[in-house]
Amino acid sequence: MKKENIILRNFFRLMRSGAFDENASLEPMSPFKWRRLYDMVEAQKVVHVFARGINRHQHDDGLNPPDDVIERAKKYMAEHPQPTTSNVMLTLPEASMSNRLLNNRFKKIVNKEKHSMDTSVESLGLLQIIVFNVDSMLNRGMSLDGIIRLGKYLRSQSGARLDDIKIEKWLVSLHLARMAELQGNILIEMFGFEQDEIPFVHKPDKDAYSITVRAVSFLAKDTAEEWHFRQGQSGFVQNNSQVLRRNLRRSMRYFIYAPIETTSNFFSGLGHSLSEIEE
């Protein structure tokens, strides 16, 4: 991993420790920096991973978070409990695509594979996580929770249970090969994965690091109150230029990885906002 500031160093050490049981000593930080780190943790919805990392580092000299950070984490986990099953990180999310044609193709792949004579449930699960992460990246920005889920799933499956040929064929068919490769390169850059652990990564991506750091450092959260368009009291339609600019920047960032899905997602979001304008 390239050189970064102490907050990011400790953040990713805790993530790697909490998610993948890796050990790397933490560096002491001021209360202000610990609070900044925890803001990043909550924004990325990885509080449970953070807590496991804290537990693994409980004897480190560098573990000096202020009490209010620990209390915030405890409160969050009480309000957002995870299922008790040890397989919680491998629970497959619902996944879909914004482009109607590609989403229909995705559904056909899932249905055909489930009824295939040589069905590969594990490969289908991997595809589902990749598609879910693409949706999250385009609508809400980078989700480390989703990337960690992908990494844990990959390491839970032996190579013999993943059909590399099918996975590659599906990703090409859905025009998601480069987007999947970006996700894999984030695991390599930020979480220490080896390239041979990830069947759909064929070459390094020099932008994986900067995209991830930008996403983790950006703490503004998407909320239900945000809007693209709404009808004002005068009857004229108003637009939220800040949200539009942010979503356009996000779309441009990922356009080279999945141009069809990125374009469809952007205009789908605009159409959804327009349809919600009160008549």
Side-chain angles (χ1 to χ4, degrees), residues 6 23 26 48 103 116 147 149 224 251-252 258:
I6 188 174
N23 291 315
L26 300 178
H48 291 270
N103 193 50
S116 173
I147 298 297
R149 184 195 299 267
S251 296
M252 293 301 294

Side-chain angles (χ1 to χ4, degrees), residues 151-171:
K152 291 182 77 70
Y153 190 88
L154 282 166
R155 285 190 171 170
S156 74
Q157 309 297 326
S158 65
R161 296 168 66 183
L162 289 175
D163 191 322
D164 298 359
I165 296 176
K166 282 186 176 181
I167 293 167
E168 190 75 24
K169 180 181 177 182
W170 294 338
L171 291 173

Side-chain angles (χ1 to χ4, degrees), residues 64 144 233:
N64 64 332
L144 275 193
Q233 293 181 347

Side-chain angles (χ1 to χ4, degrees):
M1 190 186 300
K2 301 176 178 63
K3 290 185 178 179
E4 64 284 294
N5 64 48
I6 188 174
I7 300 175
L8 285 170
R9 286 199 299 272
N10 277 346
F11 175 85
F12 281 105
R13 286 171 184 171
L14 284 168
M15 292 299 99
R16 291 172 69 159
S17 179
F20 302 110
D21 299 327
E22 293 189 15
N23 291 315
S25 297
L26 300 178
E27 301 172 65
M29 294 194 301
S30 67
F32 170 82
K33 289 181 178 178
W34 272 107
R35 292 181 186 113
R36 170 73 181 181
L37 184 152
Y38 186 75
D39 287 341
M40 293 158 60
V41 167
E42 275 203 353
Q44 285 292 324
K45 295 181 173 60
V46 287
V47 178
H48 291 270
V49 178
F50 168 80
R52 286 192 293 272
I54 289 290
N55 287 336
R56 286 184 59 85
H57 287 277
Q58 57 183 302
H59 300 301
D60 279 19
D61 293 335
L63 186 66
N64 64 332
D67 292 340
D68 59 290
V69 166
I70 301 301
E71 290 305 314
R72 284 174 64 186
K74 288 180 178 178
K75 180 180 179 183
Y76 182 97
M77 290 190 293
E79 295 174 351
H80 304 83
Q82 287 191 333
T84 55
T85 172
S86 60
N87 208 34
V88 60
M89 288 302 297
L90 306 185
T91 303
L92 296 177
E94 291 293 325
S96 63
M97 299 183 67
S98 297
N99 182 275
R100 186 175 300 177
L101 174 63
L102 295 182
N103 193 50
N104 287 337
R105 191 175 296 176
F106 173 57
K107 290 178 180 178
K108 288 180 180 178
I109 288 172
V110 173
N111 185 61
K112 181 178 179 181
E113 185 63 20
K114 284 182 176 179
H115 297 90
S116 173
M117 292 292 292
D118 61 340
T119 183
S120 176
V121 177
E122 294 81 12
S123 300
L124 209 51
L126 180 64
L127 178 67
Q128 195 168 334
I129 293 173
I130 291 171
V131 172
F132 174 83
N133 284 348
V134 170
D135 178 74
S136 178
M137 291 162 77
L138 295 180
N139 287 293
R140 295 171 293 281
M142 177 70 65
S143 167
L144 275 193
D145 178 55
I147 298 297
I148 288 171
R149 184 195 299 267
L150 175 63
K152 291 182 77 70
Y153 190 88
L154 282 166
R155 285 190 171 170
S156 74
Q157 309 297 326
S158 65
R161 296 168 66 183
L162 289 175
D163 191 322
D164 298 359
I165 296 176
K166 282 186 176 181
I167 293 167
E168 190 75 24
K169 180 181 177 182
W170 294 338
L171 291 173
V172 170
S173 175
L174 297 173
H175 298 275
L176 293 181
R178 289 203 64 194
M179 200 64 144
E181 195 164 42
L182 171 62
Q183 295 177 38
N185 271 296
I186 292 170
L187 287 172
I188 294 170
E189 263 313 311
M190 316 308 288
F191 293 98
F193 275 61
E194 299 294 334
Q195 185 170 328
D196 60 11
E197 293 184 84
I198 311 172
F200 46 85
V201 171
H202 304 294
K203 61 182 179 179
D205 186 333
K206 60 182 178 62
D207 294 322
Y209 175 87
S210 59
I211 287 174
T212 308
V213 169
R214 184 189 299 115
V216 170
S217 302
F218 183 68
L219 299 181
K221 301 176 183 178
D222 289 322
T223 67
E225 290 73 33
E226 289 180 338
W227 48 275
H228 291 95
F229 301 98
R230 71 181 179 191
Q231 191 170 22
Q233 293 181 347
S234 63
F236 291 101
V237 174
Q238 303 170 328
N239 75 76
N240 187 331
S241 59
Q242 183 178 1
V243 172
L244 279 173
R245 284 196 303 271
R246 189 185 66 205
N247 290 351
L248 181 59
R249 284 196 301 269
R250 182 191 301 141
S251 296
M252 293 301 294
R253 187 177 306 136
Y254 294 118
F255 181 81
I256 62 171
Y257 294 99
I260 296 176
E261 180 65 4
T262 300
T263 303
S264 297
N265 181 272
F266 181 75
F267 285 107
S268 175
L270 291 181
H272 180 70
S273 295
L274 285 169
S275 68
E276 291 186 341
I277 296 175
E278 294 183 0
E279 305 244 343

